[in-house]
Amino acid sequence: MFFERPDSGERAVLVHLKLASESQHEDPREFEELVLSAGGDPVSYVMGTRETPHPRTFVGSGKLAEIGGEVLEQCAEIVMFNHALSPSQERNLEQELQCRVLDRTGLILDIFAQRARTHEGKLQVELAQLQHISTRLVRGWTHLERQKGGIGLRGPGETQLETDRRLLRARIKALTSRLQKVRKQRNQGRRARDRAEIPSVSLVGYTNAGKSTLFNCVTESSVYVADQLFATLDPTLRRLEIDNVGPVILADTVGFIAHLPHKLVEAFKATLEETLNADLLLHVVDAASHERDDNMHQVQDVLSEIGAEGIPQLQVFNKLDVLEQPPRLERNAEGRPERVWVSAATGAGMDLLLQAIAELVGQDMVSEEVHLDPGQGSLRAAFYNMGAVQAEDYGDDGAAHLSVRLPRADWNRLMKKGPEPLF
């Protein structure tokens, strides 16, 4: 059965079971934050332990009666499970509890639907939602049966369920096609940046780690920021000037979460490609979180799933103001920047962050002193067009002496064009 959904403030009973069959357990506190982010009002939390989920109702008969009692006592409108439910389990629970039942995947999809702002984001959310509900249509229809005999009773020969499934397939196919066009457009923009040799840096991290606050602090932007899970859904790109490197593209992306539904990863591939094609990943970590290490592992799992585990990373331990510690830059045994401790809220440590980015992105940069004869004006203009000239003076013979810094690929390309010797 389907139930009408109120606009806001739904009273919710939350259910969390610790299953012995699960190697990784969900976090009950994080689930409560998800419910609050979705606009729900948690009025009761039912917990328990079980070896394996019940095949029919996920929970046993005793726990089901306890949940039903909480629904009646608290006048709850929805029951939310901190687990993935099968379509039949969801349907059976709704029949037993006589209210709507939502699992963890459906809850995350609902939050994404609320937060999508751009046309692309809305397409991605709709695709993920349709893929999720396509297996749950059977609970909605018991009318409009097949053809019957008699005048005026001859129908189209298919049930309403079959009609809905056919329409869903057509809509999913249309959305997939439109998202492929979006992906092509993103690739065109990315190729243009590649031709211009502009490095790209992508912010990744667990949801609510402070990525958007950090993004605003570094780029002086005004991206939406809130102390809630999945405040950012649509990717935002800004051009950033970094000393000794030049222009860099910084991308703010959607946050990750434990056991991110695979449907979301598939639907958001166009967005996650900003991460996949970055030259450097800034792994933003909530340094004050008790689950800091677990969250970092979850982010690495998602990066592995999308094929981005091999991209160089810089760990950015954020929210240093909560820990009341000074900012610092940590290096590995080779002297390479490995971790920066900052506070995006106060701006502390931003100079260290930019220094680390400059060192990591500018590793393949060339710094040279170039001597150009008066007849090499076109080469001088090429250096200026690239923004590579850091200083210039002239000799008595009219020759130009340039201090230049530019990517090695550009340097090699200009060396092929320029006459020897140049310096």
Side-chain angles (χ1 to χ4, degrees):
M1 63 192 79
F2 280 147
F3 298 90
E4 293 297 324
R5 172 178 177 169
D7 292 334
S8 62
E10 294 174 272
R11 297 171 63 82
V13 172
L14 312 187
V15 180
H16 173 83
L17 293 187
K18 189 174 181 180
L19 299 172
S21 58
E22 287 183 342
S23 57
Q24 291 182 320
H25 302 292
E26 306 289 4
D27 183 0
R29 287 175 297 178
E30 180 183 81
F31 184 59
E32 188 171 355
E33 290 180 20
L34 280 171
V35 174
L36 292 170
S37 294
D41 178 18
V43 293
S44 179
Y45 214 138
V46 178
M47 297 191 182
T49 57
R50 192 177 170 85
E51 284 292 324
T52 57
H54 191 282
R56 185 175 181 277
T57 56
F58 195 86
V59 296
S61 56
K63 191 62 65 176
L64 184 62
E66 181 183 346
I67 297 171
E70 289 293 328
V71 170
L72 292 175
E73 183 179 341
Q74 303 292 341
C75 298
E77 300 153 298
I78 185 170
V79 175
M80 299 189 187
F81 279 73
N82 192 18
H83 307 274
L85 299 176
S86 69
S88 61
Q89 287 171 339
E90 205 170 292
R91 183 171 64 251
N92 293 334
L93 284 166
E94 287 189 345
Q95 290 174 347
E96 295 286 344
L97 300 173
Q98 286 299 299
C99 69
R100 285 193 307 116
V101 173
L102 199 64
D103 67 354
R104 180 183 173 89
T105 301
L107 176 61
I108 294 175
L109 284 170
D110 186 86
I111 295 173
F112 273 46
Q114 293 180 44
R115 304 282 158 74
R117 295 290 182 268
T118 65
H119 175 64
E120 176 193 352
K122 292 175 181 177
L123 287 179
Q124 292 174 137
V125 170
E126 184 181 353
L127 176 60
Q129 284 181 316
L130 291 180
Q131 290 172 337
H132 180 68
I133 68 171
S134 61
T135 57
R136 288 163 163 77
L137 285 175
V138 68
R139 65 179 174 173
W141 300 104
T142 56
H143 66 295
L144 298 181
E145 302 296 336
R146 294 184 184 277
Q147 284 186 177
K148 298 179 180 178
I151 298 173
L153 295 177
R154 294 176 178 85
E158 63 179 8
T159 64
Q160 183 67 44
L161 176 61
E162 290 168 335
T163 302
D164 287 346
R165 282 178 174 162
R166 177 167 48 82
L167 294 175
L168 266 181
R169 286 194 298 269
R171 180 61 179 165
I172 289 174
K173 184 177 180 181
L175 287 173
T176 304
S177 175
R178 290 164 72 177
L179 282 171
Q180 286 175 348
K181 291 181 180 178
V182 170
R183 191 173 300 176
K184 289 180 181 177
Q185 291 169 352
R186 281 191 177 276
N187 287 336
Q188 288 173 352
R190 199 174 292 118
R191 283 196 296 269
R193 295 197 298 271
D194 290 342
R195 285 194 297 269
E197 297 290 344
I198 300 178
S200 62
V201 178
S202 182
L203 294 171
V204 299
Y206 209 75
T207 180
N208 205 28
K211 295 184 296 300
S212 295
T213 304
L214 182 69
F215 183 85
N216 287 340
C217 186
V218 172
T219 63
E220 298 181 358
S221 301
S222 56
V223 171
Y224 175 71
V225 173
D227 184 17
Q228 58 187 14
L229 303 184
F230 297 118
T232 300
L233 191 61
D234 303 304
T236 306
L237 279 67
R238 291 289 186 273
R239 185 185 178 103
L240 178 66
E241 290 290 334
I242 295 185
D243 293 340
N244 299 324
V245 174
V248 169
I249 298 297
L250 186 64
D252 185 20
T253 59
V254 62
F256 301 151
I257 196 168
H259 308 135
L260 189 67
H262 185 70
K263 293 183 180 68
L264 279 181
V265 176
E266 284 294 313
F268 278 74
K269 268 189 175 177
T271 298
L272 294 173
E273 280 178 358
E274 292 296 342
T275 298
L276 191 58
N277 292 276
D279 298 294
L280 174 67
L281 300 181
L282 299 186
H283 182 175
V284 184
V285 180
D286 183 353
S289 172
H290 297 294
E291 290 79 29
R292 182 175 73 190
D293 293 338
D294 289 339
N295 293 349
M296 292 174 67
H297 287 308
Q298 294 295 339
V299 171
Q300 295 300 335
D301 288 344
V302 177
L303 290 176
S304 298
E305 187 173 351
I306 64 175
E309 69 275 14
I311 300 174
Q313 288 188 31
L314 173 67
Q315 293 179 351
V316 183
F317 277 42
N318 189 28
K319 304 189 181 181
L320 205 57
D321 51 305
V322 179
L323 299 178
E324 298 181 351
Q325 296 181 10
R328 61 187 184 272
L329 172 60
E330 298 178 1
R331 301 176 181 272
N332 59 16
E334 301 171 354
R336 173 189 171 94
E338 187 176 46
R339 184 178 299 115
V340 187
W341 295 74
V342 304
S343 170
T346 64
M350 289 301 113
D351 54 338
L352 296 176
L353 175 61
L354 294 177
Q355 175 189 335
I357 294 175
E359 291 185 36
L360 294 173
V361 174
Q363 284 186 93
D364 205 24
M365 302 290 285
V366 173
S367 296
E368 292 288 353
E369 299 293 325
V370 181
H371 173 85
L372 298 179
D373 294 328
Q376 294 177 283
S378 60
L379 195 54
R380 174 181 174 275
F383 281 123
Y384 268 99
N385 287 337
M386 292 178 180
V389 180
Q390 295 182 307
E392 179 184 23
D393 58 31
Y394 286 89
D396 295 336
D397 58 353
H401 301 276
L402 278 66
S403 297
V404 298
R405 179 178 171 83
L406 70 167
R408 185 173 299 278
D410 287 344
W411 171 260
N412 293 338
R413 179 161 49 84
L414 289 176
M415 291 307 97
K416 292 178 182 178
K417 295 181 179 179
E420 298 290 346
L422 280 177
F423 51 91

